[in-house]
Amino acid sequence: MDALLRPRPTLSLVLISLFLFLSRSFSQEIHITNAERRIDLSSHIIKVFLTLKVENTGETAASDILLAFPPTQVQHLAFIEALATTGKRKKKSYVRQDVKPTELPDAPNGTKYFTISLINPLKSGDTATLEVLYIFTHSLEPFPVEISQSESQLVYYRDSALILSPYHIKQQITFVKTPSTKVESFTRVEPSNRAGTELKYGPFEDQVPYSFSPIIVHFENNNPFAVVEELVREVEISHWGSLQITEHYNLVHGGARHKGVFSRVDYQSRSFSGAYSFKQLLARLPPRVHSVYYRDEIGNISSSHLRTDSRKSELEIEPRYPLFGGWKATFVIGYVLPLQDFLFESSDGRRYLNLTFGCPLVETVVDKLTIKVVLPEGSKDPSAVVPFPVEQHLETKYSYLDIIGRTVVVLEKKNAVPVHNIPFQVYYTFNPIFMLAEPLMLASAFFLLFVACLAYLHVDLSIRK
């Protein structure tokens, strides 16, 4: 009996070894002939543009390309997108490719992977050009971690001068763009140089898979580090012609913490005082917005300006006090939109809401975003279509004159950035007869009140002998 059981672990080891061999051979069949990476550090939202020219040196077609990231970077990865380019110059076109996280058992040093699934597999001997965009948040470390009102904010950025990849890279180069020319220090790796606001690492030749050369850039960044710790957007649909939107913000300055005493006089009289703070935010709202309000726990805040036209609406808001590192502010923005601009009917008879996902505030990171779409009472079969992964569930909300309650479609997204501000849809079925429920209830209530008044006037309640 023991002899029959012994081959099983041996067979498992053989299968694992075969899988590892195939994964290594797969990496050897793909070569990157040229790679160019551009890292934009001009904001607290880091954008990385990566151009890869990939060649298939194997004998069979390749349908997947792997992207590798250090585990410390994956924790802050908010967005990743890959496009395949075809044509040249003015005739160049881009085709979006599917990108999904992938687990590999032989990942060195905890490397994390994403797989680009090519729509058109790369044949043997062919080459393809891929444009990859990925965005990081909370990746700039303030140093010093505390600064006074008169100091500028300095931050660290950590990365590698070499592109981490499971493939052999024949030639590569990396550019790092800083928001200003004030760079305290940066790691020098030959060849490297600096010109103005740009650091250049490379070109590097013939780098083996998983090459890594750590670098640190210490530079000045006084741009607003606006971080919304939690944003709850409630969208209430009324078939009587309006879309009521209420947004609850918990805002914090995510930069170096403020130390010392705040001086309002210095802040207003000296231009360099509090250079890294911010006292104004811009919210881009849909066109034809009206009934806009901006308030906090104290009450209405009058320091806001609304500009509207036929294409967009912009709301400039000012908190009650300027925000320095670590300071927080909570407020509510509400507005009304015309229903006909956002509610439509599909070919199968269902109705659907088409609205923009994400946060209206410009250049803002949202740690936790919750969107609640409140459907009219009587709505059935709700479903949401979002172009990226989100958590979804249903709730029930009771409002005035509700009997069975209103279905609420709840969408939750962590680490949301401005590129997530794209349309999403919520589908549902609705019987128009339910629109008569509330008017009939009001009419019935007034009728009963009228009958009660008549009965009271015609009934003699006096006590007679």
Side-chain angles (χ1 to χ4, degrees), residues 233-237 243-245 247 286 335 337 341-344 352-358 371-373 385 387 420-426:
R233 298 182 67 195
E234 185 175 271
V235 181
E236 186 171 345
I237 302 174
L243 199 66
Q244 176 70 49
I245 299 181
E247 300 171 350
Y335 48 94
L337 298 171
D341 293 350
F342 302 93
L343 190 67
F344 308 94
Y352 68 93
L353 174 72
N354 187 58
L355 197 65
T356 301
F357 199 90
I371 297 181
K372 297 183 177 182
V373 180
V385 178
H420 291 124
N421 295 359
I422 53 180
F424 74 101
Q425 296 77 37
V426 175

Short mmCIF file of all heavy atoms in Angstrom, two decimals, residues 233-237 243-245 247 286 335 337 341-344 352-358 371-373 385 387 420-426:
data_model
loop_
_atom_site.label_atom_id
_atom_site.label_comp_id
_atom_site.label_asym_id
_atom_site.label_seq_id
_atom_site.Cartn_x
_atom_site.Cartn_y
_atom_site.Cartn_z
N ARG A 233 -20.54 58.98 -3.15
CA ARG A 233 -21.38 59.68 -4.12
C ARG A 233 -22.73 58.97 -4.19
O ARG A 233 -22.80 57.79 -4.54
CB ARG A 233 -20.75 59.69 -5.51
CG ARG A 233 -19.41 60.39 -5.60
CD ARG A 233 -18.90 60.38 -7.04
NE ARG A 233 -19.73 61.19 -7.90
CZ ARG A 233 -19.70 61.12 -9.23
NH1 ARG A 233 -18.88 60.27 -9.83
NH2 ARG A 233 -20.48 61.90 -9.97
N GLU A 234 -23.78 59.70 -3.87
CA GLU A 234 -25.13 59.14 -3.94
C GLU A 234 -25.85 59.76 -5.11
O GLU A 234 -26.01 60.99 -5.18
CB GLU A 234 -25.89 59.38 -2.64
CG GLU A 234 -27.26 58.72 -2.62
CD GLU A 234 -27.96 58.87 -1.29
OE1 GLU A 234 -27.77 58.01 -0.41
OE2 GLU A 234 -28.69 59.87 -1.14
N VAL A 235 -26.30 58.91 -6.03
CA VAL A 235 -26.99 59.35 -7.24
C VAL A 235 -28.42 58.85 -7.15
O VAL A 235 -28.67 57.64 -7.18
CB VAL A 235 -26.31 58.79 -8.50
CG1 VAL A 235 -27.02 59.28 -9.76
CG2 VAL A 235 -24.83 59.18 -8.53
N GLU A 236 -29.37 59.77 -7.02
CA GLU A 236 -30.78 59.39 -6.86
C GLU A 236 -31.54 59.73 -8.14
O GLU A 236 -31.57 60.89 -8.58
CB GLU A 236 -31.39 60.11 -5.67
CG GLU A 236 -32.80 59.67 -5.36
CD GLU A 236 -33.32 60.23 -4.05
OE1 GLU A 236 -32.49 60.72 -3.25
OE2 GLU A 236 -34.54 60.19 -3.82
N ILE A 237 -32.15 58.70 -8.72
CA ILE A 237 -32.88 58.86 -9.97
C ILE A 237 -34.35 59.12 -9.67
O ILE A 237 -35.00 58.38 -8.92
CB ILE A 237 -32.75 57.59 -10.85
CG1 ILE A 237 -31.28 57.30 -11.15
CG2 ILE A 237 -33.54 57.74 -12.14
CD1 ILE A 237 -31.06 56.00 -11.89
N LEU A 243 -31.96 64.33 -11.65
CA LEU A 243 -30.95 63.42 -11.11
C LEU A 243 -30.24 64.16 -9.98
O LEU A 243 -29.51 65.12 -10.23
CB LEU A 243 -29.96 63.04 -12.22
CG LEU A 243 -29.11 61.78 -12.03
CD1 LEU A 243 -29.97 60.55 -12.02
CD2 LEU A 243 -28.06 61.69 -13.13
N GLN A 244 -30.50 63.74 -8.76
CA GLN A 244 -29.93 64.42 -7.59
C GLN A 244 -28.65 63.72 -7.17
O GLN A 244 -28.66 62.51 -6.90
CB GLN A 244 -30.93 64.43 -6.43
CG GLN A 244 -30.40 65.02 -5.15
CD GLN A 244 -30.19 66.52 -5.23
OE1 GLN A 244 -31.08 67.25 -5.66
NE2 GLN A 244 -29.05 67.01 -4.81
N ILE A 245 -27.53 64.47 -7.11
CA ILE A 245 -26.23 63.88 -6.75
C ILE A 245 -25.71 64.58 -5.50
O ILE A 245 -25.66 65.82 -5.43
CB ILE A 245 -25.22 64.02 -7.90
CG1 ILE A 245 -25.72 63.26 -9.13
CG2 ILE A 245 -23.85 63.48 -7.48
CD1 ILE A 245 -24.79 63.31 -10.32
N GLU A 247 -22.35 64.36 -2.79
CA GLU A 247 -21.01 63.82 -2.63
C GLU A 247 -20.45 64.22 -1.27
O GLU A 247 -20.36 65.41 -0.95
CB GLU A 247 -20.09 64.33 -3.75
CG GLU A 247 -20.59 63.94 -5.14
CD GLU A 247 -19.83 64.62 -6.26
OE1 GLU A 247 -19.03 65.54 -5.96
OE2 GLU A 247 -20.02 64.23 -7.42
N PRO A 286 -20.71 67.74 -14.75
CA PRO A 286 -21.34 67.62 -16.07
C PRO A 286 -21.98 68.93 -16.50
O PRO A 286 -22.27 69.81 -15.68
CB PRO A 286 -22.41 66.53 -15.83
CG PRO A 286 -21.97 65.79 -14.62
CD PRO A 286 -21.27 66.81 -13.77
N TYR A 335 -25.66 68.70 -6.28
CA TYR A 335 -26.14 69.37 -7.48
C TYR A 335 -27.20 68.51 -8.14
O TYR A 335 -27.38 67.32 -7.82
CB TYR A 335 -24.98 69.67 -8.46
CG TYR A 335 -24.06 68.51 -8.73
CD1 TYR A 335 -24.26 67.66 -9.82
CD2 TYR A 335 -22.97 68.27 -7.90
CE1 TYR A 335 -23.40 66.61 -10.07
CE2 TYR A 335 -22.10 67.22 -8.15
CZ TYR A 335 -22.33 66.39 -9.23
OH TYR A 335 -21.47 65.34 -9.46
N LEU A 337 -29.01 67.39 -11.97
CA LEU A 337 -28.80 67.28 -13.41
C LEU A 337 -30.11 66.94 -14.09
O LEU A 337 -30.96 66.25 -13.50
CB LEU A 337 -27.76 66.20 -13.72
CG LEU A 337 -26.36 66.42 -13.17
CD1 LEU A 337 -25.51 65.17 -13.36
CD2 LEU A 337 -25.68 67.61 -13.82
N ASP A 341 -30.51 63.86 -20.03
CA ASP A 341 -29.13 63.81 -20.51
C ASP A 341 -28.39 62.55 -20.08
O ASP A 341 -27.31 62.26 -20.62
CB ASP A 341 -28.36 65.04 -20.00
CG ASP A 341 -28.87 66.33 -20.61
OD1 ASP A 341 -29.67 66.25 -21.57
OD2 ASP A 341 -28.48 67.41 -20.13
N PHE A 342 -28.94 61.81 -19.10
CA PHE A 342 -28.19 60.69 -18.53
C PHE A 342 -28.98 59.39 -18.44
O PHE A 342 -28.39 58.34 -18.18
CB PHE A 342 -27.70 61.07 -17.12
CG PHE A 342 -26.85 62.30 -17.09
CD1 PHE A 342 -27.39 63.55 -16.86
CD2 PHE A 342 -25.49 62.20 -17.33
CE1 PHE A 342 -26.60 64.68 -16.84
CE2 PHE A 342 -24.69 63.33 -17.32
CZ PHE A 342 -25.24 64.58 -17.07
N LEU A 343 -30.29 59.42 -18.65
CA LEU A 343 -31.10 58.21 -18.58
C LEU A 343 -31.63 57.89 -19.98
O LEU A 343 -32.23 58.74 -20.64
CB LEU A 343 -32.26 58.38 -17.61
CG LEU A 343 -33.04 57.11 -17.28
CD1 LEU A 343 -32.17 56.13 -16.50
CD2 LEU A 343 -34.31 57.41 -16.49
N PHE A 344 -31.41 56.64 -20.41
CA PHE A 344 -31.78 56.23 -21.75
C PHE A 344 -32.49 54.88 -21.70
O PHE A 344 -32.55 54.23 -20.66
CB PHE A 344 -30.54 56.14 -22.65
CG PHE A 344 -29.68 57.38 -22.63
CD1 PHE A 344 -28.60 57.49 -21.76
CD2 PHE A 344 -29.97 58.44 -23.47
CE1 PHE A 344 -27.82 58.63 -21.73
CE2 PHE A 344 -29.19 59.59 -23.44
CZ PHE A 344 -28.12 59.68 -22.57
N TYR A 352 -31.35 52.58 -18.64
CA TYR A 352 -30.00 52.57 -18.09
C TYR A 352 -29.51 53.99 -17.87
O TYR A 352 -29.79 54.90 -18.64
CB TYR A 352 -29.04 51.78 -18.99
CG TYR A 352 -28.73 52.40 -20.33
CD1 TYR A 352 -27.62 53.23 -20.51
CD2 TYR A 352 -29.53 52.14 -21.43
CE1 TYR A 352 -27.32 53.77 -21.74
CE2 TYR A 352 -29.24 52.69 -22.67
CZ TYR A 352 -28.14 53.50 -22.81
OH TYR A 352 -27.84 54.05 -24.04
N LEU A 353 -28.78 54.12 -16.77
CA LEU A 353 -28.14 55.38 -16.40
C LEU A 353 -26.71 55.37 -16.93
O LEU A 353 -25.97 54.41 -16.72
CB LEU A 353 -28.13 55.54 -14.88
CG LEU A 353 -27.38 56.75 -14.33
CD1 LEU A 353 -28.14 58.04 -14.61
CD2 LEU A 353 -27.14 56.59 -12.83
N ASN A 354 -26.33 56.43 -17.63
CA ASN A 354 -24.97 56.57 -18.16
C ASN A 354 -24.32 57.78 -17.49
O ASN A 354 -24.66 58.92 -17.78
CB ASN A 354 -24.99 56.73 -19.67
CG ASN A 354 -23.60 56.72 -20.27
OD1 ASN A 354 -22.85 55.76 -20.10
ND2 ASN A 354 -23.23 57.79 -20.96
N LEU A 355 -23.39 57.51 -16.56
CA LEU A 355 -22.79 58.58 -15.76
C LEU A 355 -21.29 58.33 -15.65
O LEU A 355 -20.81 57.22 -15.89
CB LEU A 355 -23.43 58.61 -14.37
CG LEU A 355 -23.24 59.87 -13.52
CD1 LEU A 355 -23.92 61.06 -14.18
CD2 LEU A 355 -23.81 59.66 -12.12
N THR A 356 -20.56 59.37 -15.27
CA THR A 356 -19.11 59.26 -15.14
C THR A 356 -18.72 58.70 -13.78
O THR A 356 -19.20 59.16 -12.75
CB THR A 356 -18.44 60.63 -15.35
OG1 THR A 356 -18.80 61.12 -16.64
CG2 THR A 356 -16.93 60.52 -15.25
N PHE A 357 -17.85 57.70 -13.80
CA PHE A 357 -17.31 57.13 -12.57
C PHE A 357 -16.21 58.05 -12.03
O PHE A 357 -15.76 58.97 -12.69
CB PHE A 357 -16.73 55.74 -12.87
CG PHE A 357 -16.56 54.86 -11.67
CD1 PHE A 357 -17.57 54.02 -11.25
CD2 PHE A 357 -15.38 54.87 -10.95
CE1 PHE A 357 -17.43 53.21 -10.14
CE2 PHE A 357 -15.21 54.07 -9.85
CZ PHE A 357 -16.24 53.23 -9.44
N GLY A 358 -15.77 57.80 -10.80
CA GLY A 358 -14.62 58.49 -10.25
C GLY A 358 -14.97 59.74 -9.47
O GLY A 358 -16.12 59.98 -9.08
N ILE A 371 -19.94 54.56 -4.79
CA ILE A 371 -21.00 55.17 -5.58
C ILE A 371 -22.29 54.40 -5.32
O ILE A 371 -22.35 53.19 -5.53
CB ILE A 371 -20.66 55.18 -7.08
CG1 ILE A 371 -19.41 56.03 -7.34
CG2 ILE A 371 -21.84 55.70 -7.90
CD1 ILE A 371 -19.02 56.11 -8.79
N LYS A 372 -23.31 55.12 -4.87
CA LYS A 372 -24.61 54.52 -4.60
C LYS A 372 -25.63 55.09 -5.58
O LYS A 372 -25.93 56.28 -5.55
CB LYS A 372 -25.04 54.80 -3.16
CG LYS A 372 -24.11 54.20 -2.10
CD LYS A 372 -24.63 54.45 -0.69
CE LYS A 372 -23.73 53.79 0.34
NZ LYS A 372 -24.25 53.99 1.73
N VAL A 373 -26.15 54.22 -6.43
CA VAL A 373 -27.17 54.62 -7.40
C VAL A 373 -28.52 54.18 -6.85
O VAL A 373 -28.82 52.97 -6.78
CB VAL A 373 -26.90 53.98 -8.78
CG1 VAL A 373 -27.97 54.42 -9.78
CG2 VAL A 373 -25.51 54.38 -9.28
N VAL A 385 -22.55 47.98 -15.32
CA VAL A 385 -21.48 47.69 -16.28
C VAL A 385 -20.39 48.73 -16.07
O VAL A 385 -20.57 49.92 -16.39
CB VAL A 385 -22.00 47.73 -17.73
CG1 VAL A 385 -20.85 47.46 -18.70
CG2 VAL A 385 -23.11 46.72 -17.92
N PRO A 387 -16.15 49.49 -16.68
CA PRO A 387 -15.05 49.01 -17.53
C PRO A 387 -13.80 48.56 -16.79
O PRO A 387 -12.78 48.30 -17.42
CB PRO A 387 -14.74 50.23 -18.42
CG PRO A 387 -15.22 51.39 -17.64
CD PRO A 387 -16.38 50.93 -16.84
N HIS A 420 -9.81 56.95 -13.98
CA HIS A 420 -11.02 56.17 -13.75
C HIS A 420 -12.29 56.98 -13.99
O HIS A 420 -13.39 56.43 -13.84
CB HIS A 420 -11.03 55.61 -12.32
CG HIS A 420 -10.00 54.56 -12.07
ND1 HIS A 420 -9.06 54.65 -11.06
CD2 HIS A 420 -9.75 53.39 -12.71
CE1 HIS A 420 -8.28 53.59 -11.09
NE2 HIS A 420 -8.68 52.81 -12.07
N ASN A 421 -12.14 58.25 -14.35
CA ASN A 421 -13.32 59.10 -14.61
C ASN A 421 -13.85 58.84 -16.02
O ASN A 421 -13.74 59.68 -16.92
CB ASN A 421 -12.97 60.58 -14.43
CG ASN A 421 -12.62 60.92 -13.01
OD1 ASN A 421 -12.63 60.07 -12.12
ND2 ASN A 421 -12.29 62.17 -12.77
N ILE A 422 -14.42 57.66 -16.21
CA ILE A 422 -14.98 57.26 -17.50
C ILE A 422 -16.40 56.76 -17.27
O ILE A 422 -16.77 56.38 -16.15
CB ILE A 422 -14.12 56.17 -18.17
CG1 ILE A 422 -13.88 54.99 -17.22
CG2 ILE A 422 -12.79 56.74 -18.64
CD1 ILE A 422 -13.03 53.90 -17.83
N PRO A 423 -17.23 56.76 -18.31
CA PRO A 423 -18.65 56.42 -18.11
C PRO A 423 -18.86 54.97 -17.67
O PRO A 423 -18.13 54.06 -18.06
CB PRO A 423 -19.27 56.66 -19.49
CG PRO A 423 -18.34 57.61 -20.17
CD PRO A 423 -16.96 57.25 -19.67
N PHE A 424 -19.89 54.78 -16.86
CA PHE A 424 -20.38 53.45 -16.50
C PHE A 424 -21.89 53.46 -16.64
O PHE A 424 -22.51 54.52 -16.73
CB PHE A 424 -19.95 53.07 -15.08
CG PHE A 424 -20.71 53.78 -14.00
CD1 PHE A 424 -21.73 53.15 -13.31
CD2 PHE A 424 -20.41 55.10 -13.65
CE1 PHE A 424 -22.44 53.80 -12.32
CE2 PHE A 424 -21.11 55.76 -12.66
CZ PHE A 424 -22.13 55.11 -11.99
N GLN A 425 -22.50 52.27 -16.65
CA GLN A 425 -23.93 52.16 -16.87
C GLN A 425 -24.57 51.30 -15.78
O GLN A 425 -23.96 50.32 -15.32
CB GLN A 425 -24.26 51.55 -18.25
CG GLN A 425 -23.81 52.37 -19.43
CD GLN A 425 -22.33 52.27 -19.72
OE1 GLN A 425 -21.73 51.21 -19.57
NE2 GLN A 425 -21.72 53.39 -20.12
N VAL A 426 -25.77 51.67 -15.40
CA VAL A 426 -26.59 50.87 -14.49
C VAL A 426 -27.92 50.60 -15.19
O VAL A 426 -28.67 51.53 -15.52
CB VAL A 426 -26.84 51.60 -13.15
CG1 VAL A 426 -27.80 50.79 -12.28
CG2 VAL A 426 -25.53 51.82 -12.42
#
